[in-house]
Amino acid sequence: KVDQIRELCQSLIHTAQQSGARVAVIEHSERMNIAAANALLKTLEEPGSNTLLLLQTDTPANLLPTITSRCQKIAFITPTRNEIIDWLAQQNLLPKADAQGNRHDVTWCLGVVGGPIKLAQSLASKHYQQLLDYRHDWSASLQSGHLQNSLLKLSEQQIIDALKVLYLYLRQYVLKSNKLNPLIQSRVIELAGDVMHMSHKLTTMANVNTQALCQNYVLQFRHVLALT
């Protein structure tokens, strides 16, 4: 929000501790609203001596052109899923194997949490289990037509994660459902796109009725399948 950006810009004016460099990191910078982005422009243009601003984003297209034109773009190559799993195993963060020695693939939610480091943090806390609950409850809700368990009590902060999980579920539904005709597949993919668009939109919105929003997507999904 604009007040957060103004506070950041003001803090960069002061001398750094121990006379070192001043570094600011803005994660998910695409979530800045227009007022916040405009408030950052002057500091981006003239950050001051020995000052570095790092703007991280997974969707650079959502940044204002006035922001990107003032930044040097550095693309990072993401590690493979096997490399991520090996790294998580070294951190002792992988869930325990079942009786048959199988582990479920925790990398399914990389797009939700925002990368391997965030996934590690999620696994070390209750957040990963929450995402699993969303996935299970979306599956049950789409089958029954009624919201289940965790989806009935989402906060405005949780709804974005829940919608991202729904997006992944819908994509996987199309990939795994070989019997769907092309029209139904395209409609489900279109619905998934609407869900992801809404999850981005909600980052700058307030006072959303989370239960009504989720129920609407359940009804849309069932309407699409009814076309068969």
Side-chain angles (χ1 to χ4, degrees), residues 3-73:
D3 290 340
Q4 294 173 296
I5 294 298
R6 286 172 178 164
E7 182 180 350
L8 169 65
C9 294
Q10 187 63 33
S11 68
L12 292 175
I13 296 175
H14 305 301
T15 303
Q17 293 182 5
Q18 301 176 352
S19 300
R22 291 168 296 188
V23 180
V25 180
I26 304 177
E27 295 185 352
H28 302 292
S29 55
E30 76 280 356
R31 295 185 181 181
M32 288 187 294
N33 57 38
I34 294 177
N38 287 334
L40 185 64
L41 292 180
K42 184 176 181 181
T43 301
L44 277 180
E45 208 162 73
E46 301 176 2
S49 60
N50 212 18
T51 301
L52 179 66
L53 283 84
L54 299 173
L55 278 65
Q56 178 273 329
T57 178
D58 296 324
T59 52
N62 289 342
L63 286 171
L64 290 178
T66 48
I67 292 288
T68 56
S69 65
R70 288 167 170 80
C71 297
Q72 177 185 359
K73 302 175 184 68

Side-chain angles (χ1 to χ4, degrees), residues 101-217:
N102 300 316
R103 285 193 177 98
H104 74 269
D105 183 8
V106 297
T107 62
W108 69 271
C109 64
L110 279 169
V112 177
V113 296
I117 294 177
K118 293 292 185 181
L119 176 57
Q121 295 171 350
S122 180
L123 287 165
S125 66
K126 296 180 180 179
H127 183 238
Y128 181 76
Q129 183 57 51
Q130 190 177 59
L131 297 178
L132 283 179
D133 291 342
Y134 293 157
R135 186 169 69 167
H136 176 270
D137 292 339
W138 274 123
S139 177
S141 299
L142 295 173
Q143 291 179 32
S144 69
H146 304 286
L147 295 184
Q148 305 290 320
N149 301 324
S150 63
L151 302 179
L152 290 168
K153 48 190 177 181
L154 293 171
S155 69
E156 291 182 3
Q157 290 72 38
Q158 294 170 329
I159 184 63
I160 295 175
D161 275 354
L163 290 184
K164 288 182 178 179
V165 170
L166 174 59
Y167 168 80
L168 293 178
Y169 180 89
L170 293 175
R171 299 284 295 186
Q172 285 298 113
Y173 182 86
V174 171
L175 292 174
K176 293 181 179 180
S177 301
N178 297 325
K179 297 181 180 180
L180 285 180
N181 68 53
L183 174 61
I184 301 300
Q185 288 182 354
S186 65
R187 293 289 179 86
V188 175
I189 291 174
E190 182 180 352
L191 177 58
D194 290 342
V195 169
M196 181 54 70
H197 176 72
M198 177 58 72
S199 72
H200 288 310
K201 189 176 179 181
L202 287 176
T203 60
T204 56
M205 289 177 59
N207 303 321
V208 59
N209 187 329
T210 61
Q211 188 170 336
L213 182 62
C214 291
Q215 185 63 55
N216 178 54
Y217 285 128

